[in-house]
Amino acid sequence: MEEGLKDRLFNKKENGWKNIDTREKEAIFSFCNRYINFLNHAKTEREAIATAKKIAESNGFKDLSNFTQIAPGDKVYFINREKSMYLAVIGTEKMENGIHIIGSHVDSPRLDLKPNPLYEDGGFAYFKTHYYGGIKKYQWTTIPISIHGVMVKANGEKVYLNIGEDENDPIFTITDLLPHLAQDQMEKKLKNGIDGEDLNLLIGSIPLEGAKDADSVKLNIMNILNQKYGVTEKDFLSSEIELVPSFKARSLGFDSSMVASYGQDDRVCAYTSLMAMMELSNIKNTAVCILSDKEEIGSMGNTGMESHMFDYFISELLNKTGENRPNLLDKVFCFSKMLSSDVDAGFDPIYASVSDKNNAGFLGKGISLNKYTGARGKSGASDANAEYVAWIRNLLEENEIKYQVCELGKVDVGGGGTIAYILANKGVDVIDCGVPVLSMHAPYEVTSKYDIYSAFKTYKAFWER
Ligand code: MN
Ligand code: MN
């Protein structure tokens, strides 16, 4: 047998930490320290966009509305209603010959307040919630929770809330039944263990001094909010208040090889693509970075990827480069390439039975590509063309970036979707390409620092192609 035949013929997926050099390891750890800092300042889509704007502006990006004309080398951004953002670095090639898009999302599963959230019961004040995205409800009880969001008064004045992140802030929590009295609850199916209508946030217990009638605890809370923020109960009607875990993002493990944090789906891809874009200069194809909203609930609405806002942005780039003509937008999309940068299900040895080991994404083995997603016979999937997968492989192999091509779980076990199909429908060549995660959609998600840095390198290489 030929020496090294196996190495030559087999696709072996290696642990990226093996034989890593010191400089690379240092680069990974210092990049991830900045990522952890980003996560702690970007716990909602609005906070993520505000933070991304600061990062972009400090790197020379300017609001597209400031330009009447743009030219190769210009760096621009567009923010849609504080909740989604598009950035671009203009390339030397005409946009009609294709642009290179990387698209992630900055919304994450959470609990939203209902429009009429505040009530009192049994001497406690509570906020009623409606969960957002695919959560396992039991995971959201008995953890420290912080309150983030915006209340908009009828006169348009905005009040921003961020309570529970500072060490000196109070936190909030959702209670659960003590085991001693949980016999009936424990017999229920896990998905019914906690009712959606029981995800009520405990927010106070002191009655307002001198108040006699019912609702004096509620009145005390409303009085505190009025004194602090100048709001009344009606202002909740026009608010977007999100409850998120107040845990800080931290390094995980004795070796600090992983990151534990809320909201890594999909801020891990948002951050890595944003940072890759910050390092671009003199590129050929115009580079576009999407930080979208509403992915977790189907990408609908005018801040979601299904909206025409993105088409408007690309049309504006065509207008301002002076390149536009009737129907050119369609051509741009048909000649463009995209990485749909969203997280992948990481292989979890404790729950190995849901994965096909040959086709699972492993933490620490580099960026994970999903040729297709979908569920039950690839239904609903955007299946990347083999030619495009080959193009991506070539890019990764030439840049010596470790990668794995995976499926999300065993056949018929489950499935998922991203924004990939939306751009594919416009004619763009798209593949899902992101970071494998453990405990996806949980209040505390786990990623590997090796993969985070691989994502950054992949996105940079893609735009620099
Ligand atoms: Mn996602
Ligand atoms: Mn998700």
Side-chain angles (χ1 to χ4, degrees):
M1 193 184 85
E2 175 193 322
E3 186 79 13
L5 186 66
K6 215 171 167 183
D7 285 343
R8 185 163 71 80
L9 296 184
F10 278 12
N11 171 29
K12 64 172 194 288
K13 297 180 231 169
E14 280 182 325
N15 185 318
W17 296 110
K18 272 188 191 163
N19 309 318
I20 195 168
D21 68 53
T22 319
R23 265 186 54 201
E24 175 90 346
K25 200 172 171 187
E26 278 171 12
I28 292 173
F29 277 74
S30 79
F31 183 87
C32 288
N33 285 341
R34 296 191 292 277
Y35 168 55
I36 285 171
N37 185 50
F38 172 81
L39 288 170
N40 287 332
H41 290 91
K43 287 199 167 183
T44 66
E45 64 280 21
R46 284 180 195 262
E47 291 175 0
I49 297 303
T51 309
K53 181 181 181 225
K54 271 188 210 155
I55 292 171
E57 285 181 342
S58 68
N59 283 279
F61 282 72
K62 293 197 180 78
D63 193 318
L64 181 61
S65 66
N66 294 334
F67 293 82
T68 47
Q69 280 186 324
I70 47 178
D74 281 341
K75 299 176 174 190
V76 299
Y77 68 81
F78 174 87
I79 292 177
N80 179 11
R81 297 170 171 88
E82 298 185 0
K83 295 197 277 190
S84 64
M85 183 175 188
Y86 315 125
L87 303 96
V89 177
I90 309 303
T92 51
E93 190 72 37
K94 285 195 153 191
M95 286 175 66
E96 68 177 285
N97 296 324
I99 60 176
H100 288 185
I101 306 165
I102 299 180
S104 62
H105 65 93
V106 290
D107 62 316
S108 298
R110 59 180 191 249
L111 307 177
D112 286 344
L113 289 200
K114 289 192 181 190
N116 301 285
L118 182 59
Y119 76 102
E120 174 176 336
D121 194 5
F124 295 111
Y126 294 97
F127 278 149
K128 287 212 70 77
T129 69
H130 195 144
Y131 66 97
Y132 173 98
I135 63 163
K136 293 164 97 174
K137 298 183 192 87
Y138 70 87
Q139 293 178 334
W140 292 74
T141 61
T142 68
I143 60 169
I145 282 179
S146 56
I147 297 176
H148 294 237
V150 62
M151 299 178 87
V152 188
K153 297 181 191 177
N155 66 5
E157 186 193 328
K158 287 184 183 178
V159 179
Y160 290 90
L161 304 178
N162 185 323
I163 311 155
E165 298 298 332
D166 190 287
E167 285 300 311
N168 299 312
D169 284 352
I171 52 90
F172 308 88
T173 199
I174 294 166
T175 55
D176 191 6
L177 203 49
L178 61 166
H180 318 64
L181 297 178
Q183 275 189 54
D184 289 347
Q185 184 194 37
M186 299 291 265
E187 294 300 327
K188 289 181 182 175
K189 283 187 173 173
L190 197 53
K191 68 170 185 170
N192 302 324
I194 302 291
D195 228 5
E197 282 293 347
D198 291 341
L199 290 173
N200 301 324
L201 191 71
L202 182 58
I203 56 168
S205 63
I206 302 178
L208 185 71
E209 179 107 22
K212 282 197 202 91
D213 52 347
D215 283 347
S216 56
V217 177
K218 172 180 168 178
L219 185 58
N220 191 43
I221 295 297
M222 207 55 247
N223 197 40
I224 292 169
L225 293 175
N226 182 258
Q227 285 175 356
K228 208 163 175 192
Y229 304 105
V231 294
T232 66
E233 191 178 10
K234 262 192 167 176
D235 293 320
F236 282 109
L237 300 174
S238 47
S239 72
E240 286 176 357
I241 297 174
E242 303 175 14
L243 309 183
V244 299
S246 27
F247 320 133
K248 295 267 178 274
R250 305 283 288 267
S251 285
L252 174 70
F254 284 116
D255 54 8
S256 293
S257 59
M258 293 166 276
V259 174
S261 172
Y262 166 69
Q264 298 200 73
D265 175 8
D266 183 33
R267 291 180 203 124
V268 64
C269 296
Y271 181 75
T272 46
S273 57
L274 181 70
M275 295 324 287
M277 172 149 274
M278 295 305 110
E279 296 198 357
L280 300 181
S281 61
N282 303 319
I283 49 164
K284 191 166 141 255
N285 294 87
T286 292
V288 171
C289 179
I290 299 172
L291 307 178
S292 73
D293 182 31
K294 296 288 181 284
E295 193 278 340
E296 295 295 354
I297 56 168
S299 296
M300 309 305 285
N302 65 8
T303 59
M305 214 47 224
E306 292 272 15
S307 150
H308 285 257
M309 294 300 297
F310 184 64
D311 297 12
Y312 166 69
F313 173 71
I314 301 299
S315 292
E316 279 293 275
L317 294 184
L318 290 170
N319 291 333
K320 292 183 176 184
T321 52
E323 196 183 332
N324 215 354
R325 59 174 193 269
N327 303 324
L328 189 63
L329 183 64
D330 289 337
K331 184 181 174 193
V332 171
F333 285 136
C334 293
F335 284 81
S336 291
K337 292 183 168 67
M338 180 187 186
L339 299 178
S340 166
S341 53
D342 206 341
V343 295
D344 192 10
F347 175 80
D348 187 336
I350 300 175
Y351 302 101
S353 65
V354 299
S355 300
D356 160 20
K357 258 187 164 176
N358 276 334
N359 288 283
F362 288 82
L363 266 69
K365 293 191 176 178
I367 188 95
S368 154
L369 306 174
N370 282 281
K371 188 174 178 298
Y372 49 84
T373 55
R376 289 165 295 277
K378 298 189 179 183
S379 184
S382 162
D383 198 344
N385 299 303
E387 292 84 349
Y388 182 51
V389 183
W391 187 90
I392 297 287
R393 268 187 56 203
N394 183 43
L395 170 82
L396 292 165
E397 285 165 18
E398 276 186 8
N399 285 280
E400 294 178 359
I401 297 169
K402 285 204 168 66
Y403 68 94
Q404 34 187 342
V405 182
C406 320
E407 268 197 78
L408 198 151
K410 271 185 180 166
V411 175
D412 288 341
V413 166
T418 64
I419 63 170
Y421 74 95
I422 302 166
L423 279 291
N425 285 349
K426 296 181 197 290
V428 180
D429 262 319
V430 187
I431 187 165
D432 279 300
C433 173
V435 173
V437 175
L438 301 185
S439 307
M440 196 197 291
H441 286 199
Y444 227 33
E445 301 172 318
V446 175
T447 54
S448 162
K449 291 183 179 177
Y450 183 84
D451 305 330
I452 295 167
Y453 198 65
S454 296
F456 166 72
K457 288 200 298 186
T458 300
Y459 301 152
K460 192 159 179 268
F462 174 76
W463 274 323
E464 286 176 342
R465 190 60 156 194

